[in-house]
Amino acid sequence: MVFLNKFFASVYLAIVYASTANAFTKHSTHRTRDIGSRGFQVEAFHPETNFQTFGAGLEQPPTFVPVSLSDASVDFVKSRLGVDSKKVSYKSGFTSRPSKVAYLKQVHEGVPFANAVANVAWKDNKVVSFGSSFVKTERIAASKPSVTLKSAISKAEATLEGKYNGHPAALEYLARPDGSVALTHVVQIQNEQAGTWYEAFVDAHSGEILTVTDFVSDATYKVLPLEKQAFPEGQEILVDPYDPLASPLGWHDDGTKQTNTTAGNNVIAYKGSQTTGLTVQSGEGLVFNYTYDDTIAPTEGQNVDAARTNAFYVINAVHDLAYRYGFTESAFNFQTNNFGKGGKGNDRVVISVQDASGTNNANFATPADGQSGTCRMYVWTRTPVRRDGSLENDIIVHEMTHGITNRLTGGGTGRCLQTTEAGGMGEGWSDALAEYVFSLALDVARLISSSRWTEQKSGTITDYVLGHYVINSPAGIRTRPYSTNEYAIHDISLNNVD
Ligand SMILES: *[C@@H]1O[C@H](CO)[C@@H](O)[C@H](O)[C@H]1NC(C)=O
Ligand SMILES: *[C@@H]1O[C@H](CO)[C@@H](O)[C@H](O)[C@H]1NC(C)=O
Ligand SMILES: [Ca+2]
Ligand SMILES: [Zn+2]
């Protein structure tokens, strides 16, 4: 982190335009898992999602009358995708001033789709973003089942080694990887002793189990959620915070190796040594439940484990967030395995926590695509009890953003932001994303319907400071806050690059 006391008024805007000008088409998500003791394999599939943002919002035709969120959103999907109202149903939505978000489902002959969905975000009666995974229905199964629910349940119970739990079964369409659409009985199967709880999608014409939802969580972390800035706001337990679009195998699996440590496909977080300096799960099933205590030294108690867990979480979460905005494999991101989606792999982020080579700072080295980005987080000595930069999210996000901006300029060479001015832009971008990340996270999370983020009350932009916790000062480490107040902006003196 460079202490750059200079404000670039255009930085914030540059980031916003870069992320809103394009429509990004994403790859389908596949995930294959073994279920039960008999090696039953299932593949989860989500059709390709088209995600677009529209800056200040799409102008509505002059005939537009603000109606209910559900009607307006159904109308928008109809016109955008060219389908009639029988093909779209409103599922849920919420209002969080000044935004409104609606979730919709594809429908065929009255039967809803399980995995073909859409979401529409509104602001001031304008659509600001739209995501859709609606599919073509040229090869769709008949909407009346030929396999009974009873035999579907028997099949699911036998395969998943559990009992139907009585939760009302449903008939739903399921889009398949080959472009066809199956009709399925959806039933819940539980096994109390084994602790399993599944939702099975049984083909209502062939009787075959097509896919299974596993309700039991994959991973748990005690961390500072991305919408928080620093330790005093409190660690929280997050369950499965990964985004399956950006990290299809989760955060602890690179396709050939599974770990139960702070090492995975997107990042390895360690102290001292990448082999012996990792944090190992505190409980079976990828539970990383370590509590930080800032009344004792960063090296004492559970603090090192809590710091590595938080660094691992934040880098992964920013990886996943940036992926939604286009920082993908082919845009030179940081991953060990690129799953055949372009770009060079073997370059996950390497983050050294409580690094011994310095204090009171942090840095990020970005070589070209194909070599790991390397981040060093230091301990800060400005308080009676030292503070750990890994417990201040805005610093980690600032550093990770150096990796993102260095890769996104100049085609992944890592060579572009070397001059004073370009480096200054990089610093500004890093600060801006660090301070704004929770709002972006909020927008994206609404679109992927993760309830986790919806607790953030408002996207309103206020003055931002960076690094307030590590130096224990509300002003942070910059001479001015980041502000949208134009008088504050004009007041900035253009000097002082530390
Ligand atoms: C997972 O972690 C436990 C300690 O919690 C360890 O004993 C075990 O060997 C690890 N398993 C793998 C596959 O790394
Ligand atoms: C985390 O650890 C605390 C005790 O330190 C325990 O009370 C809590 O149940 C644990 N939570 C999880 C999700 O493991
Ligand atoms: Ca790469
Ligand atoms: Zn920096």
Side-chain angles (χ1 to χ4, degrees), residues 445-467:
R446 279 177 183 155
L447 294 164
I448 61 176
S449 38
S450 155
S451 60
R452 165 73 245 152
W453 301 102
T454 58
E455 289 158 26
Q456 184 70 42
K457 294 293 181 294
S458 152
T460 310
I461 302 162
T462 52
D463 288 359
Y464 295 131
V465 297
L466 188 87

Side-chain angles (χ1 to χ4, degrees), residues 45 57 60 64 73 114 135 138 147 238 293 337 342 363 377 404 433 448 453 482:
F45 170 72
Q60 292 297 324
F64 179 80
S73 301
V135 295
E138 283 140 14
V147 167
L238 299 189
D293 178 355
N337 186 342
N363 60 55
M377 298 300 296
I404 298 173
L433 189 62
I448 61 176
W453 301 102
Y482 280 69

Side-chain angles (χ1 to χ4, degrees), residues 1-2 362 398-399 402 426-427 430-431 478:
M1 176 164 51
V2 172
H398 174 105
E399 297 309 332
H402 279 308
E427 286 306 320
S430 282
D431 276 5
R478 308 288 188 226

Side-chain angles (χ1 to χ4, degrees), residues 306-337:
R308 282 184 294 225
T309 302
N310 198 60
F312 178 80
Y313 158 75
V314 173
I315 298 286
N316 269 305
V318 174
H319 165 278
D320 288 7
L321 177 68
Y323 198 100
R324 287 267 168 182
Y325 282 85
F327 189 49
T328 58
E329 294 87 351
S330 57
F332 320 112
N333 76 354
F334 301 98
Q335 290 180 199
T336 298
N337 186 342

Side-chain angles (χ1 to χ4, degrees), residues 36-287:
S37 59
R38 290 166 214 149
F40 175 65
Q41 274 211 335
V42 291
E43 186 183 56
F45 170 72
H46 296 276
E48 193 172 280
T49 300
N50 238 297
F51 173 58
Q52 293 169 277
T53 55
F54 305 112
L58 286 182
E59 287 300 335
Q60 292 297 324
T63 52
F64 179 80
V65 228
V67 281
S68 66
L69 175 63
S70 56
D71 288 353
S73 301
V74 167
D75 280 351
F76 179 80
V77 174
K78 276 165 53 187
S79 69
R80 192 89 192 161
L81 299 180
V83 295
D84 70 55
S85 46
K86 285 193 197 125
K87 304 279 185 193
V88 190
S89 86
Y90 176 79
K91 182 176 130 232
S92 58
F94 65 88
T95 298
S96 166
R97 262 171 249 288
S99 309
K100 295 190 178 107
V101 182
Y103 300 98
L104 305 104
K105 280 188 173 198
Q106 187 170 356
V107 179
H108 180 79
E109 293 180 1
V111 178
F113 281 61
N115 58 350
V117 296
N119 40 57
V120 185
W122 297 82
K123 196 172 172 185
D124 303 329
N125 291 322
K126 289 180 189 166
V127 173
V128 289
S129 69
F130 173 55
S132 157
S133 61
F134 275 35
V135 295
K136 295 207 167 73
T137 52
E138 283 140 14
R139 289 161 56 212
I140 192 161
S143 61
K144 293 275 173 293
S146 50
V147 167
T148 64
L149 175 60
K150 196 157 168 266
S151 59
I153 288 173
S154 309
K155 170 77 178 182
E157 287 180 334
T159 310
L160 300 174
E161 300 163 48
K163 284 273 163 241
Y164 172 55
N165 69 2
H167 180 84
L171 206 55
E172 291 183 59
Y173 274 115
L174 185 75
R176 306 286 295 141
D178 67 359
S180 67
V181 180
L183 182 74
T184 59
H185 289 294
V186 184
V187 296
Q188 289 190 9
I189 306 295
Q190 267 182 280
N191 182 326
E192 292 287 349
Q193 264 151 3
T196 59
W197 187 355
Y198 300 114
E199 181 183 54
F201 292 77
V202 185
D203 194 311
H205 292 296
S206 74
E208 191 195 342
I209 296 183
L210 299 181
T211 191
V212 171
T213 309
D214 187 349
F215 288 134
V216 179
S217 69
D218 291 331
T220 303
Y221 311 87
K222 185 163 188 179
V223 291
L224 300 169
L226 219 49
E227 76 269 27
K228 292 185 173 176
Q229 297 216 349
F231 175 68
E233 291 166 71
Q235 288 175 285
E236 285 178 43
I237 299 273
L238 299 189
V239 177
D240 285 351
Y242 74 94
D243 179 348
L245 187 84
S247 298
L249 303 181
W251 288 347
H252 299 267
D253 187 345
D254 66 12
T256 47
K257 192 159 160 261
Q258 280 143 21
T259 72
N260 59 9
T261 63
T262 48
N265 198 46
N266 308 325
V267 56
I268 175 169
Y270 68 98
K271 177 173 175 175
S273 155
Q274 289 185 37
T275 46
T276 59
L278 301 171
T279 282
V280 179
Q281 64 184 12
S282 59
E284 280 302 308
L286 297 174
V287 174

